[in-house]
Amino acid sequence: MAFNIASSPHAHSRRSTSSLMRTVIFCTSLGVAAQWYFFGWGVLIQIALAALVAVVTEAAVLKLRKRPITPYLRDNSALLTGVLIGLSIPPLAPWWIAVIGTLFAIVIAKHLYGGLGQNLFNPAMVAYVVLLISFPLQMTTWLPPQSLAAEPVSLTDSLMAVLTGFTTDGFSIHQLRLSVDGVTMATPLDTLKTSLTTGHTATEILAGPVFGTIAGIGWEWVNIGFLIGGLIMLKMRVIQWHIPVGMLGALFVISLLGFMISPDNTASPVFHLFSGATMLGAFFIATDPVSASTTVKGRLVFGALIGVLVYLIRTFGGFPDGVAFSVLLANMCVPLIDYYTRPRTFGH
């Protein structure tokens, strides 16, 4: 009888890593569909580009490390990383944005630490933060929802804009960002943060055209899609409830306190829960079993820490959304969290 020794975390199910990764990718489909519906074909183009680069880079690195390529590619971890990076990139960002980010995620954030199961940080979020800091202009060029866009963008136009920066009719990315009123559009979180600095109240800002019923046209449905996908993963026991509940619960509580103290300078808890990358982060990013806490109590603390950091960065930080930064900061705290939340040894 042979005993295999491996480090935690261990998946307590009969599913293989490949099956788990495929399920996670499948559960992103509702959020992906909503993002494509409201923001155009560029969403699918970025996902396809990042996924292709992730798989090719994974194979190349495995070849250099003299590891078997096919078994590692079949675990679908690189494919999932590509999907998450593609979802995080603006739909019409230049093609090299996805390439650079994915290369950094696979080569540096994953294989530099030894590969799957040994990375300290979530590779997709490392890539996003590197891109946001290095190329802030390209990473903030989100399009307006299709219903508010001055120029409709077809599949061909989206592909040309990603590859060349211009559509077939000669429209630039800046022109495509204009709404029907001729205003350059931004994400609801960015619009709220920028407008608050000009002396407007949150009530006045939220009455703008970019804000929908809950948290912004398009974004509220994107978050609902990822919420449904996350609940499916919970039902299938692909992930555990502790981290999403900890993150969303902490975000709700602290945003409610902030809203009660200063309603003119902060958005409601519902807005924070259904805007930006909240649901994507809670169910598909923070729950990464490799870089998250491994104890039961630790997962609750880990999730709560992310929720608090998201609110603080959105409210007081220099970036409109703080999910990626919050996840990476919480990843740094995982050894400390696990140390103080480890279960008592039997008999002690």
Side-chain angles (χ1 to χ4, degrees), residues 64-85:
L64 291 174
R65 296 181 63 193
K66 298 180 180 180
R67 299 289 181 89
I69 296 176
T70 303
Y72 283 98
L73 285 182
R74 285 179 177 173
D75 66 20
N76 294 315
S77 61
L79 181 61
L80 177 59
T81 298
V83 170
L84 295 177
I85 292 174

Side-chain angles (χ1 to χ4, degrees), residues 29-103:
S29 57
L30 286 176
V32 171
Q35 201 161 317
W36 161 75
Y37 177 81
F38 285 100
F39 300 102
W41 290 99
V43 174
L44 301 184
I45 293 172
Q46 296 292 351
I47 292 174
L49 178 60
L52 176 62
V53 174
V55 173
V56 172
T57 305
E58 179 91 347
V61 175
L62 289 171
K63 181 70 173 179
L64 291 174
R65 296 181 63 193
K66 298 180 180 180
R67 299 289 181 89
I69 296 176
T70 303
Y72 283 98
L73 285 182
R74 285 179 177 173
D75 66 20
N76 294 315
S77 61
L79 181 61
L80 177 59
T81 298
V83 170
L84 295 177
I85 292 174
L87 283 169
S88 305
I89 295 176
L92 298 186
W95 62 269
W96 47 267
I97 288 288
V99 172
I100 292 175
T102 308
L103 285 172

Side-chain angles (χ1 to χ4, degrees), residues 322-334:
V323 171
F325 292 97
S326 301
V327 170
L328 295 182
L329 290 171
N331 289 157
M332 295 179 187
C333 301
V334 164

Side-chain angles (χ1 to χ4, degrees), residues 79-144:
L79 181 61
L80 177 59
T81 298
V83 170
L84 295 177
I85 292 174
L87 283 169
S88 305
I89 295 176
L92 298 186
W95 62 269
W96 47 267
I97 288 288
V99 172
I100 292 175
T102 308
L103 285 172
F104 196 93
I106 300 298
V107 177
I108 305 299
K110 182 179 180 180
H111 282 284
L112 186 65
Y113 291 95
L116 180 65
Q118 301 182 61
N119 49 285
L120 301 179
F121 303 98
N122 185 291
M125 293 301 95
V126 171
Y128 177 81
V129 168
V130 168
L131 291 173
L132 185 61
I133 294 175
S134 303
F135 311 103
L137 178 61
Q138 290 79 7
M139 287 296 291
T140 54
T141 55
W142 284 90
L143 297 179

